[in-house]
Amino acid sequence: MLARLQDVLAPPLPARVRERLREDAHVNSAGFDLWGLNIETAEQVLAASRWLYELYFRVEVRGAHHVPPGPCMLVPNHGGQLPFDGFLVAMAAVLEVDPPRVVRGMVERWFPSLPFISTLFTRCGQVVGDPHNCIALLERGQSILVFPEGVGGSGKTYWKRYTLQRFGTGFVRIALQTRCPIVPVALVGTEEIYPSIAKLDRLARVLGVPYVPVTPFFPALGLLGALPLPVKVDIQFGEPFLFEGDPDAPEGEVAAMVDVVKQRIQSMLDAGIARRPDLRWLNRLPGGRRLPLQLPGGAGRGGS
Amino acid sequence: MTVLVTGVSGQLAHLVCEMLRDRHELVGADVRPLPAGRSFPGEFHCVRYTQRRMAEVFRRHRPRALVHLGRLRGSEVSSTSFRFTQNVLGTRNLIDLCIRYGVKRFVVLGTFHVYGAHQHNHVGIREDAPLRASLTFPQIADAVELDHAVTGALWRHRELETVLLRPCHIVGPSLNNLTSRLFRLRAVPTLLGYDPMLQFVHERDCARAICLALHGDRVGVYNVAGEGAVPYTYAIRLAGGRPVPVPHFLAYPVVGSLSRWRLLFPKHLMDYFRYPTVVDDSLFRADFGYAPQFTIVETLASVGRQQVRRKEPA
């Protein structure tokens, strides 16, 4: 009975996937790479949390074939207070993308000061979002997961959902330097996992964290309110961009390339939301991204 | 050629001298006397590097090369100001003497501690990275200043071929430094919830690296590391110990007040067991053909408790 439950909730990763993950990791005799990734731990964590991906958030992936086989940079929209979005993309990169890979997420710089979680994240391949780390990992053939919105994205309030915030330009410069493709990713659903209605800035400063959100359930319901809402999540991978040019180009030129990526993600997001009839009630709430009734290019609302 | 080696009372210098004794004429110097029962293959001088007597050693032996391994470590029982005098002023004096007495090659053993342990550290720190240590740990400002003195000599005195090595944690069965002692404990304290990646170089690999630096022709600053990195708790288990987690909000004040009396553990080194300081030694490998011969598993197993500390043969 317990074994059956385990099979449903946390089935082990397919042998083909596990083999491939081992091949790609550059680990030493002790099984660790310089950043602290340990494939065995990463696999255990992924397998143990597979139910979150498959049953809780019921993730649906489109366009996984767009992810190129070599090293690349996955660039999704950011939102939802806690990095569930990063986790779900990482999971998709293992289960749906061919060849499967452990993507190396670029996390906030204050993150290593968090005990326990920072250690767990490190074992699963997440690294501090520093350009040196990013370049070194790409040169070792690893794929990167980067959220150019940063905390401005993950901490956004509900009124700004699915509206891309300011993008940093560093990721395009690194892509130019390492000649690595950028895969735009649109995540629909993740920005509602924690619908933040306000931010407690002063408390955040005292606690030394980037933001403290207030949701209809948190902190009113205490820890119970901190549970993520079981939103259905769609992940759409777009066609990769391969930019050419001087990595030291003036900021304006690079910003133009960033805008191209941003526009693509935004339009993928709009199309993604339009495909989701279950989210149409959102239109009645103030703020947020308005769903176009008919998308340009004839991409209509799905499910109707 | 005649090679002057400092710090020869230490175990690492002993290993280096064993490797060099057949090829070179050795002269040893140290502020400490030789440990009981150890003989030095050459003439030995017990002298402080700041003393005038140091010049006499240069005058008498006219060394062609100086291998400076005599840095007092930040973990040793010594006051900050004493370490500063010995390490910074002593090293500056040695550089002056090298210039005055026509020493050709100058190899210095620094430390990776100069990069500092910081949560913002990226992985694979190269030699040109900023030295953050003096910012957070003024107690090891002497190590940073020593580093600066030597890098200063690199461009100020081009005729002196200077190599500065910044090795990661050096451990081994015969070493008696802080890290090796730590990993010989039955129960090794860790900071609860933190498990940074650490790099280790085996004492023999490090000694070999020093010899390579002496015999090579490149000059510059080089990181030296072993095979990759492992998390702290994993390293403890490899060495045969058991990690004992202590909450950091307890550990820092307790260790801080004890280290004021120079007991237990220097507080300023605790951050190195909280945040990773992982260096990139690919430049040294490329320029000097260095490759560690011990894997990280072998390195840590060799330090461990099961290893009986051998007394040096008389």
Side-chain angles (χ1 to χ4, degrees), chain A residues 27-38 109-120 122-123 127-128 130-133 136 139-140, chain B residues 119-124 126 132 192-197 199 227-234 238 248 274-276 278-280 295-298:
Chain A
V27 296
N28 60 6
S29 61
F32 294 89
D33 81 352
L34 275 184
W35 285 264
L37 166 70
N38 179 252
R109 280 177 187 274
W110 63 276
F111 203 77
S113 61
L114 278 180
F116 301 108
I117 303 178
S118 64
T119 304
L120 183 72
T122 305
R123 291 297 159 273
V127 301
V128 172
D130 184 289
H132 290 96
N133 280 339
E139 282 170 354
R140 281 170 171 76
Chain B
Q119 67 191 73
H120 290 183
N121 276 351
H122 64 266
V123 168
R126 298 225 171 103
R132 278 202 175 107
L192 181 67
Y194 296 95
D195 200 5
M197 299 301 287
Q199 286 167 301
E227 185 223 7
V230 285
Y232 182 33
T233 54
Y234 196 88
L238 283 178
H248 68 277
R274 185 175 183 188
Y275 301 122
V278 178
V279 299
D280 177 4
T295 66
I296 197 154
V297 177
E298 291 164 349

Side-chain angles (χ1 to χ4, degrees), chain B:
Chain B
M1 63 181 176
T2 307
V3 179
L4 172 60
V5 184
T6 64
V8 289
S9 300
Q11 194 56 41
L12 183 68
H14 176 65
L15 290 173
V16 173
C17 291
E18 286 300 308
M19 290 180 186
L20 294 178
R21 65 185 295 174
D22 294 335
R23 291 179 67 174
H24 305 289
E25 192 180 318
L26 296 179
V27 181
D30 201 319
V31 295
R32 307 161 288 184
L34 281 177
R38 170 150 6 125
S39 64
F40 180 75
E43 206 166 312
F44 171 73
H45 300 269
C46 187
V47 56
R48 288 192 180 174
Y49 313 128
T50 44
Q51 278 174 332
R52 204 177 303 244
R53 249 174 358 104
M54 198 66 226
E56 191 54 33
V57 176
F58 277 80
R59 255 194 302 274
R60 256 186 64 194
H61 297 283
R62 296 280 167 173
R64 287 281 283 162
L66 168 62
V67 180
H68 183 31
L69 310 177
R71 184 179 69 84
L72 293 183
R73 290 185 301 268
S75 55
E76 274 170 11
V77 183
S78 51
S79 72
T80 309
S81 64
F82 178 72
R83 278 207 315 270
F84 194 89
T85 311
Q86 287 309 305
N87 288 343
V88 183
L89 305 186
T91 304
R92 282 180 173 276
N93 189 36
L94 287 175
I95 294 170
D96 289 345
L97 291 172
C98 283
I99 301 304
R100 198 167 341 139
Y101 294 99
V103 172
K104 197 164 160 282
R105 201 157 175 87
F106 178 43
V107 178
V108 186
L109 189 70
T111 172
F112 82 112
H113 281 158
V114 294
Y115 295 118
H118 199 276
Q119 67 191 73
H120 290 183
N121 276 351
H122 64 266
V123 168
I125 299 174
R126 298 225 171 103
E127 289 80 357
D128 55 359
L131 308 184
R132 278 202 175 107
S134 52
L135 175 78
T136 26
F137 326 102
Q139 297 91 336
I140 53 171
D142 63 296
V144 180
E145 275 304 313
L146 182 150
D147 199 287
H148 283 322
V150 178
T151 46
L154 260 170
W155 57 266
R156 214 176 275 135
H157 307 293
R158 307 262 163 108
E159 70 277 19
L160 178 65
E161 295 176 8
T162 304
V163 180
L164 171 63
L165 301 180
R166 290 179 186 155
C168 60
H169 293 288
I170 309 168
V171 292
S174 68
L175 287 193
N176 199 27
N177 60 9
L178 182 84
T179 319
S180 299
R181 287 204 305 273
L182 185 71
F183 281 97
R184 282 189 201 114
L185 295 175
R186 188 185 300 273
V188 188
T190 68
L191 292 169
L192 181 67
Y194 296 95
D195 200 5
M197 299 301 287
L198 302 182
Q199 286 167 301
F200 300 92
V201 58
H202 191 278
E203 53 183 24
R204 294 203 160 270
D205 279 331
C206 187
R208 215 171 285 125
I210 293 165
C211 296
L212 283 173
L214 175 66
H215 296 135
D217 53 0
R218 299 297 186 94
V219 296
V221 186
Y222 294 95
N223 294 330
V224 180
E227 185 223 7
V230 285
Y232 182 33
T233 54
Y234 196 88
I236 294 169
R237 291 205 186 86
L238 283 178
R242 182 168 49 85
V244 179
V246 183
H248 68 277
F249 51 84
L250 282 181
Y252 276 78
V254 171
V255 174
S257 46
L258 282 177
S259 72
R260 202 168 303 149
W261 303 98
R262 296 181 204 147
L263 292 171
L264 205 66
F265 192 88
K267 186 191 174 200
H268 55 275
L269 294 184
M270 284 175 74
D271 273 4
Y272 290 91
F273 296 92
R274 185 175 183 188
Y275 301 122
T277 311
V278 178
V279 299
D280 177 4
D281 69 343
S282 52
L283 192 63
F284 188 61
R285 289 173 191 244
D287 281 5
F288 287 89
Y290 164 78
Q293 296 189 351
F294 291 85
T295 66
I296 197 154
V297 177
E298 291 164 349
T299 303
L300 283 158
S302 79
V303 202
R305 289 191 307 116
Q306 63 272 43
Q307 203 76 22
V308 184
R309 295 262 296 289
R310 285 165 295 145
K311 278 264 188 289
E312 285 304 314

Side-chain angles (χ1 to χ4, degrees), chain A residues 14-35:
Chain A
R16 178 187 63 85
V17 171
R18 299 175 56 177
E19 214 170 274
R20 181 70 205 202
L21 296 186
R22 272 175 180 66
E23 272 172 35
D24 283 352
H26 297 264
V27 296
N28 60 6
S29 61
F32 294 89
D33 81 352
L34 275 184
W35 285 264

